[in-house]
Amino acid sequence: DAIGLSGLLVSSTEVMLDDLKEFREEGLSIPVLCGGAALSLSFVKEFLHPAYGSDVFYCEDAFAGFRAMQQIVS
């Protein structure tokens, strides 16, 4: 299992950050794939991953999402 989040606007990155904090507070630890035009690898590494504390994958495009899922299930 994994959760996928995508954001096209900068404001959606703030929602992702809030979501990941909520996931952590609720005890979730399943992998999360994050992508969309509003995201960058540095944002995921600097903000999203620390907010969640478990695996957060930056997926630049659908192919990166596919590769992340392959890594998750192996």
Side-chain angles (χ1 to χ4, degrees), residues 2-74:
I3 296 171
L5 301 174
S6 178
L8 297 176
L9 304 172
V10 173
S11 60
S12 61
T13 62
E14 296 171 15
V15 175
M16 284 183 190
L17 187 57
D18 291 341
D19 289 344
L20 289 171
K21 289 176 183 177
E22 184 71 26
F23 295 165
R24 184 179 194 165
E25 289 174 12
E26 292 298 321
L28 294 178
S29 61
I30 64 173
V32 177
L33 287 70
C34 296
L39 287 183
S40 66
L41 177 59
S42 62
F43 184 81
V44 171
K45 284 184 175 181
E46 292 176 33
F47 297 99
L48 297 184
H49 184 268
Y52 187 47
S54 292
D55 289 335
V56 178
F57 295 85
Y58 170 63
C59 300
E60 183 178 26
D61 56 29
F63 296 107
F66 179 72
R67 288 189 299 276
M69 284 304 299
Q70 285 181 314
Q71 184 178 345
I72 290 166
V73 298
S74 63

